[in-house]
Amino acid sequence: TQLFGRGTYKNVYKAFDEEEGMDVAWNQVKVSGLPPEEKQRLMHEVEILKKLDHKNILKFYHSWNVMEKGEMSVNFITEACEGTLNKYAAKFKTNLDMRAVKSWSRQILRGLEYLHLHDPPIVHRDLKLENILVDDNMNLKVADFGFATFRKVHNLKSYRGTMTYMAPEIKEGLVYDGKQTDVFSVGVILFIIVLGIFPFKEAKKDEYFFALLHNKKYDK
């Protein structure tokens, strides 16, 4: 195994599945000491991932719990990816070929369509460059479902997401449609991919690009 990444409570290893003959990502999370909200996010993410099967969604294989020296860890195996879309967007900036832009856009939207048409529908609520993984064949995978939900997706109130990708109705504490706010976040992602910059720090009217959107001046 090879250490992919390390956090306060989570380690991710690149491992080889001898039965299937392929590389996988082994996620190991120490539950002891994990804040209750983070523990709930973790269990929720595993629950969501188990329901999904699409080429543009991170593939989940299986999970198990381990108790060792009085400490419990949650382990789960997913497909292995080489990095995040954030890494590739930063590398190419505005030099990205339009064919690649279209390919990435289609893949993100296909993954999102699968989630929204799922039975029951699933909304992600934290779509951003860092949560879209890229495999060694440049296939995009929507990942990190800690804020996702399949309950009352058209009538949500929880404050979820990342400010620079967040729809204004979430930021303002209004009731929101999770599908619509996901689409807003994807719009921000595509803006960054094409222009190499963020459209705004947050979606408010004194931000130039958001003001154009709010006033429906799409040709500007």
Side-chain angles (χ1 to χ4, degrees), residues 114-129:
Y114 169 79
L115 293 174
H116 288 181
L117 295 180
H118 192 274
D119 186 16
I122 295 171
V123 292
H124 189 281
R125 297 200 292 179
D126 197 21
L127 289 165
K128 55 185 177 180
L129 290 170

Side-chain angles (χ1 to χ4, degrees), residues 29-197:
V29 186
K30 296 178 182 178
V31 176
S32 302
L34 198 64
E37 185 176 333
E38 289 299 312
K39 190 182 299 184
Q40 186 178 4
R41 270 192 71 184
L42 169 65
M43 301 305 183
H44 189 65
E45 179 174 13
V46 172
E47 179 188 3
I48 293 280
L49 280 171
K50 286 179 179 178
K51 301 175 185 290
L52 307 178
D53 184 17
H54 187 273
K55 64 182 180 180
N56 296 121
I57 304 291
L58 185 68
K59 180 71 174 176
F60 173 90
Y61 293 114
H62 57 94
S63 64
W64 70 97
N65 298 335
V66 173
M67 181 66 74
E68 186 176 358
K69 296 180 181 178
E71 284 196 355
M72 190 178 89
S73 66
V74 174
N75 299 262
F76 59 99
I77 302 293
T78 65
E79 64 182 310
C81 290
E82 293 302 308
T84 69
L85 190 56
N86 188 46
K87 167 187 168 184
Y88 289 93
K91 179 180 178 181
F92 292 107
K93 289 283 187 180
T94 55
N95 296 321
L96 190 62
D97 189 286
M98 192 52 64
R99 288 170 296 183
V101 171
K102 290 177 180 179
S103 174
W104 288 0
S105 302
R106 281 194 298 267
Q107 291 183 67
I108 296 169
L109 291 170
R110 283 170 184 159
L112 186 62
E113 180 183 47
Y114 169 79
L115 293 174
H116 288 181
L117 295 180
H118 192 274
D119 186 16
I122 295 171
V123 292
H124 189 281
R125 297 200 292 179
D126 197 21
L127 289 165
K128 55 185 177 180
L129 290 170
E130 294 88 342
N131 286 343
I132 298 173
L133 304 183
V134 184
D135 72 10
D136 54 6
N137 292 314
M138 293 304 294
N139 296 309
L140 272 52
K141 315 280 182 174
V142 178
D144 196 340
F145 287 83
F147 285 153
T149 187
F150 49 85
R151 298 183 178 92
K152 298 181 179 179
V153 299
H154 298 292
N155 187 32
L156 296 167
K157 298 179 182 179
S158 302
Y159 188 92
R160 295 288 185 268
T162 300
M163 183 63 74
T164 44
Y165 297 85
M166 188 183 292
E169 53 266 44
I170 301 178
K171 184 174 67 73
E172 293 167 11
L174 304 175
V175 174
Y176 60 92
D177 184 318
K179 290 185 178 183
Q180 293 179 3
T181 56
D182 274 355
V183 170
F184 183 94
S185 298
V186 169
V188 175
I189 291 170
L190 299 185
F191 186 102
I192 298 167
I193 289 172
V194 174
L195 295 180
I197 59 171

Side-chain angles (χ1 to χ4, degrees), residues 1-5 12-16 24 26:
T1 58
Q2 172 189 351
L3 185 64
F4 245 176
V12 182
Y13 301 92
K14 186 175 184 179
F16 186 75
V24 295
W26 169 25

